[in-house]
Structure formats: structure tokens, C-alpha cells
Amino acid sequence: MVKIQKVLQTRTFKKAVKKLHKNQKADLDAAIKKLMENPTLGEQKKGDLSFLRVLKFRMTNQQTLLGYSYEDGSVVLELLNIGPHENFYRDMKKNFVGS
């Protein structure tokens, strides 16, 4: 398995992270560390969002989705978005597919 050497963040992701509290950031950091060890943990989406993988994890007792992109054999993990399930996929389409 390829170890991630570089993590990129989109502007959307950075804005969302700025709004988090310390305990939420700790939960997010733990999820990102897991992804860095095994970037195929998240579910690969289909159709318009085929570029997207989504990892579901708990952030302060609320299920949260972490959208990211990872190409097999690549050493770059690109963090795209984070948030609750509500409107997550709609926003991903709007921001990244242009629908």
C-alpha cells in the first residue's frame, strides 16, 4: 500500500474546518490520520461524483462525512469537503461538477 506523502485542502474544506471547535478538530484529525494510513477506507461514489470518496465518521456524536479524492498509486490526498449528510452530495455536485 502507498503511504500518503502530501495532503491538499480545498478552500471549501479550509472554511469548514475554521468553524469547528477544538474537540471537533480532534475527531477530524483522527479521521484524516486513518485516511493517510489507508486512503481506500472511504466509499467510492458513482456517476457525476465518481471522483469522490466519502469517509463517514463520528464528530462529537454526530455522523459526519469527509469528502476526499485519491487516485490509486498516488501519494496525494485531496480533502474536498466536510459536513453532515444533509445537502452534502448536492453541495459537492454544485461546487465540483458544476451542475
Side-chain angles (χ1 to χ4, degrees):
M1 181 175 303
V2 177
K3 181 108 171 144
I4 298 296
Q5 294 178 352
K6 189 174 184 181
V7 177
L8 303 175
Q9 298 177 28
T10 61
R11 202 166 48 209
T12 305
F13 183 83
K14 286 180 184 178
K15 279 182 173 181
V17 170
K18 275 186 178 182
K19 297 175 186 175
L20 298 177
H21 297 286
K22 261 189 179 176
N23 57 343
Q24 292 172 312
K25 284 184 183 177
D27 291 342
L28 175 61
D29 287 343
I32 292 171
K33 284 180 184 173
K34 283 183 188 176
L35 277 180
M36 289 178 72
E37 292 170 10
N38 184 4
T40 59
L41 275 178
E43 179 186 345
Q44 179 79 49
K45 296 300 167 185
K46 294 178 173 55
D48 288 348
L49 296 174
S50 61
F51 65 92
L52 178 68
R53 295 183 86 88
V54 176
L55 177 69
K56 295 178 181 180
F57 69 101
R58 307 255 355 129
M59 182 187 293
T60 58
N61 294 324
Q62 179 181 7
Q63 180 172 298
T64 304
L65 297 147
L66 172 58
Y68 68 99
S69 175
Y70 168 76
E71 294 294 325
D72 287 336
S74 174
V75 292
V76 178
L77 178 69
E78 184 176 15
L79 304 172
L80 302 172
N81 200 358
I82 184 172
H85 190 275
E86 183 182 11
N87 301 325
F88 183 83
Y89 295 107
R90 182 202 66 194
D91 293 345
M92 286 300 297
K93 272 190 168 184
K94 183 176 76 175
N95 292 334
F96 294 100
V97 179
S99 296

